[in-house]
Amino acid sequence: MATEGWQHARDGVVQLWQRFRPEAAQTVADELEETRTVALAVQETGVSVVERALQEEWARQITDLLVSYPNAEGGVRELLAGWSLSDQRTAQGSVHLEAHGTGSARIYQAGRDQHITER
């Protein structure tokens, strides 16, 4: 949500609402900005359950739009087709990782995001 792709995705969702529920388009734009603010704050804490809840909420809102306006399906498909992995930022350069452990040491290395859940 911190990438340039965010603005493209936000604009696409707002355009859908402008087409099918113009009276709610500004509210949706405001809610998306609030969602982004929360998601960015949560991203730093690593609380993935909140991120999932935000995703589920927007999936529900888009589903509600489709239930009320089945002819919105084409617009939703276009929007989703525009969201691809190529929109994500890619790392430039190279990464060299080296670790040495002894005994019962645990070593965690990552060239990018790493999420570890130990129980």
Side-chain angles (χ1 to χ4, degrees):
M1 289 192 124
T3 66
E4 294 172 16
W6 159 253
Q7 190 65 42
H8 177 71
R10 179 206 170 279
D11 292 348
V13 171
V14 171
Q15 286 174 1
L16 268 176
W17 259 258
Q18 286 173 338
R19 271 178 63 193
F20 297 100
R21 287 188 177 158
E23 73 285 353
Q26 186 57 52
T27 301
V28 165
D30 294 343
E31 289 175 357
L32 282 167
E33 289 303 324
E34 184 179 326
T35 297
R36 181 176 189 259
T37 300
V38 171
L40 290 173
V42 169
Q43 193 175 45
E44 292 184 16
T45 65
V47 182
S48 61
V49 68
V50 175
E51 289 180 37
R52 267 181 272 152
L54 293 172
Q55 291 168 355
E56 289 170 4
E57 171 59 22
W58 281 101
R60 185 195 59 73
Q61 289 202 42
I62 290 172
T63 300
D64 289 349
L65 179 75
L66 288 169
V67 167
S68 298
Y69 301 91
N71 56 336
E73 182 181 355
V76 171
R77 285 187 186 278
E78 287 176 27
L79 183 62
L80 294 175
W83 298 345
S84 67
L85 294 177
S86 64
D87 288 340
Q88 296 181 4
R89 291 185 178 176
T90 56
Q92 300 293 322
S94 62
V95 176
H96 173 80
L97 302 173
E98 186 174 328
H100 304 277
T102 60
S104 60
R106 294 182 180 171
I107 299 172
Y108 304 95
Q109 295 182 308
R112 192 159 173 234
D113 297 349
Q114 184 177 62
H115 303 279
I116 300 169
T117 304
E118 292 184 4
R119 296 179 193 243

